[in-house]
Amino acid sequence: MSVQTPSSPASNAGQPLAFVSAQALRERMHEAVNDTHLRQSFRGAMDFLMAKRAVQFPDPEELDSLRVLSEHIRQYSLSKLPDLLEQLETSLVRNGVQVHWAETPDEANAIMLEIARRHAAKLIVKGKSMVSEEIEFNHAMEAAGIGALESDMGEYIVQLAGEKPSHIIMPAIHQTKQQIAKLFAEHIPGVEYTDNVDALIQIGRRVLREKFEEADIGLSGVNFAVAETGTLCLVENEGNGRMCTTVPKVHIAITGIEKVVEKLEHVAPLFSILTRSATGQAVSTYFNMITGPRRSTDQDGPEEVHLVLLDNGRSQAYADEQLRKTLQCIRCGACMNHCPVYTRIGGHAYGTTYPGPIGKIISPHMMGLEQTHLLPTASSLCGACGEVCPVKIPIPELLIRLRGEAQSAPRADPAMVGQGAAYDPKISLLWKMWAGLYSRPSTYRAFSWLATRFRALTPARQRGWTAARTPLKPAPRRLRDMLKDRT
Amino acid sequence: MSARDKILGRLRAHMPAEAMMPPVLEAHYAPRARGESKAERLRRFRTGIEGFQAQVHLTTEDDWPTLLSALCAQKQVHTLMFGGLTPAGRRLMTTRFETTVLRSWEGQVETLKADLFHRVDAALTHARGAIAETGSLILWSSPEEPRTLSLVPPLHFVLLDAATIHPTFFDALRYENWAAGLPTNALLVSGPSKTADIQQTLAYGAHGPKELIVLVINAEGEAS
């Protein structure tokens, strides 16, 4: 199965959008790199987002202080994660929220399907939730005959097109307004073609307001879950998140187990650095803090609130001190905005729910290294992602670690599922010999002497290297010999 | 074993033996405290929220109902909904509106939902406070002013007392000790709803209010 390319929208609408294999990564990257429209869309959007972020951090000293604090809050929270999850559960239950735990996407979907069936739900309206993408929620509901409608404008567009988001913050970033105009005219009854952005947004508003009014269940993600108060925090600009969590009778929130913080005040710096890093906004239009369902004195709000806590490989990352840093992520997307690879290939080429640098380090835990071992290699290790990360995740170090996990010989007690998936004894031996030659002066001297003398024997075809480059060949003379000649 | 026990068991097996030292938030916020005047805080709040396309009017405790009435006439608001049991609501009951029908929120949302979505043009709620740093209003839901009131009608008026503006979000929730008792829904609102999901082009009026108008009282010393 190949990933849907943005130039052919809607061709698999209604079809299962199961995760695509990362094995074909190289092929998809090649296609993406040769798609000039796609290249222009992403280049323009990433330049825009990088410039907007830079404006939000005029004072490097303030940025540094806020990053250190944000990193500390996330690491502190993770250091007590199981305690905080139990505290969160206790607080939520006290507030009247029903808490569910799921180890796998299937379990999470089954839990939510059961809730939907209990309420005889026909329509679920959705606020933006990457975890719901991760578990293929829409597909699971549709298979059970329940409508699941995206209401974030970008997600709505992507759903109409039968695609998946190409960016975790701006899902429809790969679509031009002309493509969206065509999509609306084709799919929404009574709508004529217009590529006026205001008009398009008003069409979306009109269609989706009807759905907010009639939906049985609202689904949302969670940006931060506060253990001490049992509060679910949501960051958004459009107001659809508020609609989904306020208007329908039932609100289901779903989140990964890593999103919990201990104290309410911990969300203040994280919220600030999140919006500034993500879209270069000083603040989002709405910051929505939900503490329970409709109380006896309240006049509105959902009668039931559920929280689904999903593991899906996160506890595997947690088990290793270095890999645990992956879970510090607050999903701002700054790493993709600044990634030279993401900018050139776009979000779909990765073939995973989370694209870009964060996708490369989190997907292997969710999907196993068999499917994802090529992802960490899709990087120049330039370090931009680690430099802009608001919680200082050492993404380049983690990419190197994951390459090592994939390439090393299978071990008895591996740190992750699929360890050794890319192990090749021949290549491994070659690198061991290389390391042996280069780590001792005597062997290195002998090797370089031989290499310069027998340079004519260098093979012309050198695997991937020569696919787009001239062959590597030793120089006619060694540096040490040339230095000796200097007087 | 349940999924809960299995997940917690896996995490517990690898939890660090010693938790880290808790973060000290003052270390970041205290050196950046501004010690600014009330007028300066209001100015920063105003610059911030106007940058997000909200309108701000400085008025007084005595005059705001008349200003609201004039703004409703100017915006051709046919129906304005508000919480009738709040002090502001009681003031409105005695104010003359020329062209606008005043309607206080009565009963549970189920009986009002269709009207809220289709017939109410504007709503008034009060703000618990505001944040100077980002130009944000703080709204807490209450039985008198339910959540949908500030969400569904296309035009949202907010009454803000200038004395309740905090320098930062951190100051607001720390010094008012929010953690001791939160409402069902606490909100920060910074402008009318918006989106840039189509080609990064900013468009206002996505799913929430299309317009946000802030009436600031207690703003003495600040020119209008």
Side-chain angles (χ1 to χ4, degrees):
Chain A
M1 187 175 190
S2 75
V3 75
Q4 176 92 33
T5 57
S7 50
S8 58
S11 61
N12 69 350
Q15 294 293 306
L17 284 164
F19 287 132
V20 291
S21 157
Q23 299 289 1
L25 183 65
R26 286 209 177 93
E27 209 175 291
R28 289 197 303 268
M29 284 185 164
H30 189 72
E31 274 173 39
V33 160
N34 288 306
D35 183 336
T36 48
H37 288 290
L38 188 78
R39 292 276 299 265
Q40 275 168 5
S41 290
F42 278 94
R43 179 80 265 168
M46 297 306 106
D47 285 346
F48 172 81
L49 288 168
M50 283 192 286
K52 281 196 71 184
R53 175 189 174 276
V55 170
Q56 286 301 326
F57 296 110
D59 175 359
E61 193 269 329
E62 191 261 355
L63 169 60
D64 191 49
S65 164
L66 189 58
R67 283 181 82 207
V68 169
L69 176 61
S70 302
E71 177 195 30
H72 189 162
I73 292 171
R74 290 300 301 135
Q75 287 186 346
Y76 172 72
S77 310
L78 292 171
S79 78
K80 309 174 64 168
L81 184 60
D83 290 344
L84 293 188
L85 284 168
E86 287 194 61
Q87 190 189 358
L88 175 71
E89 181 180 50
T90 307
S91 304
L92 285 167
V93 169
R94 188 187 61 221
N95 296 338
V97 176
Q98 299 175 48
V99 182
H100 312 266
W101 302 71
E103 290 192 273
T104 63
D106 285 347
E107 281 180 28
N109 283 324
I111 289 164
M112 295 190 279
L113 193 57
E114 199 276 317
I115 298 169
R117 288 209 169 116
R118 189 149 40 79
H119 290 276
K122 290 185 195 70
L123 177 66
I124 301 174
V125 277
K126 294 181 64 197
K128 192 165 163 37
S129 157
M130 286 309 295
V131 176
S132 79
E133 297 282 347
E134 181 187 325
I135 65 170
E136 298 276 326
F137 174 82
N138 296 1
H139 179 57
M141 293 304 122
E142 273 153 31
I146 298 167
L149 183 71
E150 299 287 350
S151 66
D152 171 87
M153 290 292 182
E155 292 278 352
Y156 175 64
I157 291 163
V158 166
Q159 189 179 31
L160 273 186
E163 294 178 325
K164 296 183 73 82
S166 59
H167 189 281
I168 63 168
I169 303 289
M170 310 197 91
I173 207 159
H174 57 285
Q175 292 259 4
T176 63
K177 63 182 175 183
Q178 289 82 9
Q179 286 174 309
I180 294 163
K182 208 166 139 249
L183 203 60
F184 276 24
E186 275 170 19
H187 290 271
I188 306 171
V191 166
E192 294 199 0
Y193 181 95
T194 170
D195 59 14
N196 176 298
V197 171
D198 279 312
L200 289 169
I201 294 298
Q202 289 312 306
I203 293 165
R205 176 185 172 100
R206 179 173 55 73
V207 172
L208 290 163
R209 278 208 156 212
E210 284 173 21
K211 303 299 181 185
F212 292 130
E213 205 184 335
E214 74 175 66
D216 311 287
I217 296 178
L219 183 114
S220 78
V222 175
N223 289 97
F224 315 109
V226 183
E228 66 169 346
T229 57
T231 301
L232 307 176
C233 304
L234 278 126
V235 178
E236 60 147 344
N237 284 316
E238 296 186 0
N240 65 310
R242 289 182 66 197
M243 286 282 188
C244 292
T245 57
T246 306
V247 179
K249 289 228 176 216
V250 178
H251 167 210
I252 305 173
I254 178 159
T255 189
I257 50 173
E258 79 279 25
K259 290 281 179 75
V260 59
V261 295
E262 184 179 40
K263 294 188 175 297
L264 184 65
E265 63 184 34
H266 291 170
V267 305
L270 292 177
F271 172 50
S272 174
I273 206 162
L274 171 60
T275 62
R276 291 154 84 189
S277 302
T279 48
Q281 291 176 275
V283 67
S284 57
T285 305
Y286 301 115
F287 187 59
N288 188 355
M289 290 159 271
I290 297 164
T291 309
R294 187 189 303 202
R295 297 173 190 170
S296 58
T297 51
D298 284 338
Q299 311 293 322
D300 67 356
E303 286 161 8
E304 273 181 33
V305 177
H306 298 263
L307 177 69
V308 180
L309 290 162
L310 176 71
D311 182 343
N312 195 25
R314 289 164 175 84
S315 58
Q316 173 184 286
Y318 188 81
D320 180 282
E321 203 180 327
Q322 187 184 29
L323 298 172
R324 186 180 305 147
K325 293 175 197 281
T326 312
L327 304 178
Q328 286 167 219
C329 178
I330 55 172
R331 303 283 190 269
C332 71
C335 58
M336 42 196 92
N337 300 346
H338 292 74
C339 177
V341 176
Y342 178 89
T343 303
R344 281 162 181 80
I345 65 171
H348 285 148
Y350 294 87
T352 49
T353 301
Y354 304 93
I358 180 61
K360 289 183 240 182
I361 61 170
I362 190 78
S363 307
H365 297 289
M366 294 170 175
M367 303 163 71
L369 273 172
E370 292 91 351
Q371 276 199 75
T372 57
H373 64 82
L374 274 176
L375 287 176
T377 68
S379 167
S380 64
L381 297 178
C382 73
C385 49
E387 230 168 82
V388 295
C389 178
V391 290
K392 303 183 89 157
I393 302 173
I395 301 176
E397 281 171 34
L398 291 169
L399 289 170
I400 294 168
R401 167 74 190 274
L402 292 171
R403 290 180 185 187
E405 291 291 336
Q407 300 283 337
S408 55
R411 283 190 298 271
D413 186 20
M416 51 198 303
V417 172
Q419 184 270 324
Y423 174 65
D424 179 335
K426 269 188 256 165
I427 290 182
S428 189
L429 182 68
L430 213 60
W431 282 113
K432 267 188 204 132
M433 285 165 57
W434 178 270
L437 284 173
Y438 270 62
S439 51
R440 275 179 294 273
S442 54
T443 52
Y444 176 74
R445 232 172 284 160
F447 168 72
S448 56
W449 187 88
L450 285 167
T452 48
R453 264 55 175 193
F454 295 97
R455 60 193 289 269
L457 299 179
T458 317
R461 274 197 279 171
Q462 299 165 351
R463 282 210 166 195
W465 180 263
T466 39
R469 301 176 194 87
T470 51
L472 291 167
K473 204 171 190 179
R477 298 196 69 210
R478 299 182 298 177
L479 180 66
R480 67 165 46 243
D481 296 332
M482 295 198 296
L483 282 172
K484 237 186 254 169
D485 293 349
R486 279 174 53 143
T487 47
Chain B
M1 210 157 65
S2 67
R4 175 188 187 276
D5 295 343
K6 281 191 261 183
I7 294 169
L8 286 173
R10 279 198 295 270
L11 296 177
R12 288 221 178 275
H14 299 283
M15 187 178 166
E18 277 180 56
M20 288 173 72
M21 290 295 288
V24 181
L25 277 72
E26 284 79 2
H28 174 74
Y29 288 98
R32 290 170 185 81
R34 292 175 179 241
E36 63 198 346
S37 66
K38 194 182 111 186
E40 179 57 18
R41 273 217 283 271
L42 173 60
R43 194 195 59 75
R44 279 211 298 153
F45 162 75
R46 185 175 183 169
T47 310
I49 202 160
E50 282 178 345
F52 297 122
Q53 208 78 0
Q55 273 185 40
V56 178
H57 296 272
L58 303 185
T59 173
T60 64
E61 177 63 36
D62 289 340
D63 295 341
W64 72 262
T66 321
L67 174 63
L68 179 63
S69 161
L71 288 167
C72 281
Q74 184 199 325
K75 299 272 177 194
Q76 299 182 324
V77 172
H78 182 265
T79 305
L80 173 75
M81 192 175 268
F82 59 96
L85 298 173
T86 62
R90 282 195 288 271
R91 282 289 300 283
L92 279 190
M93 299 285 207
T94 60
T95 309
R96 220 176 108 78
F97 277 71
E98 297 290 340
T99 52
T100 303
V101 178
L102 292 183
R103 191 168 163 193
S104 67
W105 179 295
E106 306 281 350
Q108 300 273 302
V109 70
E110 283 70 23
T111 60
L112 293 170
K113 197 164 153 185
D115 282 355
L116 269 170
F117 270 93
H118 303 287
R119 284 174 280 280
V120 175
D121 312 296
L124 170 80
T125 69
H126 91 286
R128 175 190 174 89
I131 296 162
E133 183 179 59
T134 52
S136 309
L137 295 159
I138 300 167
L139 305 184
W140 276 27
S141 71
S142 67
E144 296 77 34
E145 287 183 339
R147 298 158 73 166
T148 30
L149 195 55
S150 63
L151 173 63
V152 180
L155 170 56
H156 182 203
F157 291 103
V158 181
L159 190 63
L160 171 69
D161 185 331
T164 61
I165 304 177
H166 295 272
T168 66
F169 180 32
F170 172 73
D171 291 301
L173 56 80
R174 165 64 72 89
Y175 297 110
E176 293 183 354
N177 195 15
W178 288 19
L182 281 163
T184 316
N185 190 211
L187 268 178
L188 303 185
V189 175
S190 311
S193 76
K194 65 175 184 286
T195 182
D197 272 357
I198 301 182
Q199 265 189 234
Q200 302 97 55
T201 309
L202 193 56
Y204 285 91
H207 295 294
K210 296 178 178 184
E211 280 185 86
L212 178 71
I213 301 180
V214 188
L215 310 180
V216 184
I217 60 168
N218 242 328
E220 294 81 57
E222 187 75 354
S224 187

